[in-house]
């Protein structure tokens, strides 16, 4: 699958892309850490470890990526990262839309995610992409939220689950 958003090409990640995704996520997380008042975040989970349904990247070399897993029979946007130097150019939105389209092609009817509720480039951004707060998650999504609490994410700011029909 290859989709374009203006000059940005969204494509399925290739093996050569995987090594750079952790660095890309760390760069994106620096912006999140700043928004959270400089607190340290848990280290990124490895992308491309085989547990994901798919990973999409924007650009070559990638300036952003979306990792999608399956939870409770729904596509789950596990990670969306855009390098700060590529921010505010529609890359994140293009990745969300491409992830939703790819999930739909794979037979999913909804996509979920977990995010910080009060950070502009988190929940408010996802609302603008059609997501709504999801108060009745299935057992695996609920377990993921418990894991996030155990990691200390909820101590950094209010976290919510969100869902979008696709």
């Amino acid at each position: 699958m290859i989709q374009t958003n203006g000059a940005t090409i969204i494509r399925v990640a290739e093996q050569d892309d995987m090594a750079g995704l952790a660095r890309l996520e760390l760069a994106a997380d620096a912006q999140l850490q700043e928004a959270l008042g400089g607190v340290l975040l848990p280290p990124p989970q490895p992308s491309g470890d085989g547990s994901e349904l798919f990973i999409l990247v924007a650009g070559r070399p990638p300036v952003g990526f979306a990792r999608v897993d399956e939870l409770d029979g729904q596509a789950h946007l596990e990670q969306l990262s855009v390098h700060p130097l590529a921010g505010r150019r529609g890359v994140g939105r293009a990745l969300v839309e491409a992830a939703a389209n790819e999930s739909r092609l794979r037979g999913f009817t909804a996509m979920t995610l977990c995010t910080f509720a009060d950070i502009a480039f988190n929940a408010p951004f996802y609302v603008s992409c059609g997501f709504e707060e999801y108060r009745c998650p299935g057992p695996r999504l609920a377990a993921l939220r418990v894991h996030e609490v155990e990691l200390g994410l909820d101590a950094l700011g209010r976290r919510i689950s969100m869902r979008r029909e696709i």
Side-chain angles (χ1 to χ4, degrees):
M1 168 181 93
I2 295 179
Q3 297 182 5
T4 61
N5 173 36
T8 304
I9 296 176
I10 308 294
R11 60 187 172 80
V12 174
E14 299 167 357
Q15 191 59 43
D16 291 348
D17 298 319
M18 295 305 173
L21 297 186
R23 288 188 303 275
L24 197 158
E25 186 173 348
L26 284 172
D29 280 356
Q31 188 175 17
L32 179 59
Q33 285 177 292
E34 185 179 319
L36 291 168
V39 298
L40 292 178
L41 296 169
Q45 299 298 310
S47 291
D49 64 4
S51 65
E52 69 281 341
L53 285 172
F54 59 88
I55 297 174
L56 300 178
V57 295
R60 190 180 300 271
V63 296
F65 75 93
R67 174 186 168 165
V68 177
D69 296 343
E70 183 274 326
L71 288 178
D72 300 319
Q74 300 176 90
H76 179 77
L77 184 59
E78 175 58 31
Q79 183 65 39
L80 177 69
S81 292
V82 175
H83 195 285
L85 295 177
R88 308 212 43 90
R89 296 184 185 149
V91 174
R93 188 171 307 278
L95 282 163
V96 169
E97 292 308 316
N101 288 337
E102 180 66 19
S103 297
R104 186 180 317 104
L105 290 173
R106 292 173 182 239
F108 294 97
T109 59
M111 178 176 278
T112 60
L113 59 86
C114 300
T115 193
F116 286 100
D118 303 314
I119 295 177
F121 53 87
N122 276 203
F125 165 75
Y126 290 117
V127 167
S128 77
C129 292
F131 286 85
E132 297 177 342
E133 189 168 353
Y134 186 39
R135 298 182 188 270
C136 300
R140 290 188 62 211
L141 184 55
L144 175 60
R145 284 292 299 121
V146 168
H147 180 67
E148 289 182 346
V149 171
E150 291 168 350
L151 287 174
L153 289 176
D154 288 59
L156 305 176
R158 188 168 65 97
R159 301 269 304 165
I160 60 172
S161 299
M162 301 184 84
R163 184 173 188 270
R164 169 185 161 177
E165 297 293 325
I166 54 172

